[in-house]
Amino acid sequence: MKLDLTLRALFAVVENMPKPKTFLYDLLFTDRENIDVQEVQIEFKNGRRLIAPFVDRFINGQEMPKESFSGRTFKPYKIAPKRNFTADELLFERVAGENPFLSDDPETKRSKKIAATLEEQTEQIHRRLEYMASDVLYNLTLTVDGVGVKDVVKFHDNNPREHYTTVTLTWDKPTADPIGDLKGQLREISRVGGTRPSVIVMDPGASDLFMNNDKVKELMNLKNYFVGEIKPETEGVNGAIYLGTLSSLGLDIYEYQEFYDKIKDDGTTETVSLIPENTVLFAPKGNMVKFAAESSITDGILQGDLIPRIYEDEKNDSVELRTVSKPVLIPVNTKSLRILQVK
């Protein structure tokens, strides 16, 4: 039986399915754009704050350099999980969790299998986007390392840890002053030309040290002096907890850690943490994501953050289902990103 799902129908399935929730990507990379070309011009601010000059009345003006830094033209690589089905798998096998006593017709079974696979591939792509967000924020790089591809986009000036600072007195010491350390980093971000961060993200180790610090607990309990409110609430994302708001700094504080399973060269997997231990991230919202277009002989230029593709092989009675995404994540201002190493 010929598969009759059109590209338009597949796009409709992808667009209407519930999107997986991520934390760093959804919270901090909100300026998203689908473009109709394959190459992206990467531009981001690098901390400069030029002041307009005075000129003589007979001089037209002074030429000012561009305040954004153009890193490179980049052709985003595909993120492309795929799945092959034989006719038997599509028509006879049940979808995971499906009632074994239901008797669906072959067309319904096939549609359910395709929808479930698209949803699974969407989740896998969003895990990759979350990993890319972490890479940009914590390493100032966008690393591409996959099957047949290896590349790095560098957003740093000299090294990927140039935005790291270690506190003078680590937070496990009884006389440590976490609030003072946070204020100091905000002042440093302003000094080097960064925009004010919107949030602070602590890994569980840093979060525990912060919450258990005597000075923090004392400030939070002072009457008539409202520094902030600490009230942990679980976010709707794995590993994310909203700790509270420091009103004196105008910042929301979150605890976050996530893990992913990485496929190694020998085919085995290893579990890797996303967030470095004992770190505090300062970051603004509104960082950028641009999704490059995909080309098709039959369908022309395809735009979107998630592009479903389907290929039939009548000779082998099989179908390949693939979801393609070609993102590049770009920080709005590299000097706004700061990592505090607290232990």
Side-chain angles (χ1 to χ4, degrees), residues 50-70:
L50 301 178
I51 188 169
F54 289 106
V55 296
D56 185 85
R57 64 184 295 266
F58 298 107
I59 297 176
N60 291 331
Q62 179 180 334
E63 184 72 24
M64 300 294 287
K66 194 174 183 180
E67 288 202 34
S68 62
F69 171 77
S70 178

Side-chain angles (χ1 to χ4, degrees), residues 153-292:
V153 179
K154 298 177 182 179
F155 300 111
H156 54 77
D157 295 327
N158 299 304
N159 71 81
R161 291 182 63 88
E162 65 188 18
H163 62 319
Y164 277 69
T165 300
T166 301
V167 295
T168 304
L169 198 61
T170 56
W171 287 6
D172 57 335
K173 301 293 193 299
T175 54
D177 183 11
I179 301 293
D181 290 332
L182 299 182
K183 287 181 178 179
Q185 287 308 300
L186 290 174
R187 290 166 182 158
E188 179 62 16
I189 289 171
S190 177
R191 186 190 72 80
V192 298
T195 54
R196 185 173 180 82
S198 307
V199 298
I200 290 175
V201 180
M202 301 181 179
D203 88 299
S207 170
D208 289 345
L209 293 172
F210 179 79
M211 298 286 281
N212 293 323
N213 179 270
D214 289 337
K215 289 185 178 180
V216 171
K217 289 190 287 188
E218 181 183 353
L219 283 173
M220 295 305 165
N221 290 328
L222 282 177
K223 294 182 179 179
N224 301 322
Y225 178 52
F226 190 70
V227 176
E229 185 178 13
I230 297 297
K231 51 173 186 178
E233 297 178 4
T234 302
E235 294 288 299
V237 182
N238 284 343
I241 300 173
Y242 169 68
L243 296 178
T245 300
L246 285 177
S247 300
S248 61
L249 303 182
L251 291 171
D252 292 332
I253 304 178
Y254 296 88
E255 175 188 311
Y256 179 59
Q257 182 60 281
E258 180 61 296
F259 302 87
Y260 67 96
D261 296 324
K262 180 181 179 182
I263 301 176
K264 298 192 292 185
D265 293 337
D266 60 4
T268 61
T269 61
E270 65 173 334
T271 301
V272 182
S273 61
L274 202 63
I275 309 301
E277 291 185 352
N278 299 311
T279 57
V280 177
L281 166 71
F282 298 76
K285 296 180 180 179
N287 297 287
M288 297 171 284
V289 188
K290 295 188 178 184
F291 294 93

Side-chain angles (χ1 to χ4, degrees), residues 12-126:
V13 172
V14 169
E15 290 172 0
N16 290 310
M17 69 172 56
K19 292 296 186 291
K21 289 186 177 181
T22 60
F23 182 67
L24 298 176
Y25 177 72
D26 285 340
L27 181 67
L28 301 176
F29 289 83
T30 52
D31 184 1
R32 303 174 190 175
E33 180 184 8
N34 299 326
I35 60 178
D36 60 359
V37 294
Q38 289 188 311
E39 291 188 332
V40 175
Q41 183 68 33
I42 296 177
E43 292 187 337
F44 55 93
K45 291 185 177 179
N46 200 26
R48 291 196 300 176
R49 295 164 297 184
L50 301 178
I51 188 169
F54 289 106
V55 296
D56 185 85
R57 64 184 295 266
F58 298 107
I59 297 176
N60 291 331
Q62 179 180 334
E63 184 72 24
M64 300 294 287
K66 194 174 183 180
E67 288 202 34
S68 62
F69 171 77
S70 178
R72 60 183 282 192
T73 299
F74 182 65
K75 189 175 181 179
Y77 296 92
K78 289 183 183 179
I79 303 172
K82 70 176 183 179
R83 175 80 186 277
N84 285 287
F85 295 99
T86 63
D88 288 348
E89 287 177 314
L90 274 179
L91 298 175
F92 297 116
E93 290 186 3
R94 297 194 317 273
V95 175
E98 185 180 6
N99 187 337
F101 300 104
L102 288 177
S103 181
D104 289 329
D105 61 86
E107 183 67 27
T108 302
K109 284 184 177 179
R110 186 171 49 191
S111 298
K112 284 184 177 180
K113 178 74 72 173
I114 289 171
T117 302
L118 289 173
E119 187 170 350
E120 182 180 272
Q121 292 175 349
T122 298
E123 290 176 356
Q124 294 167 349
I125 289 174
H126 274 75

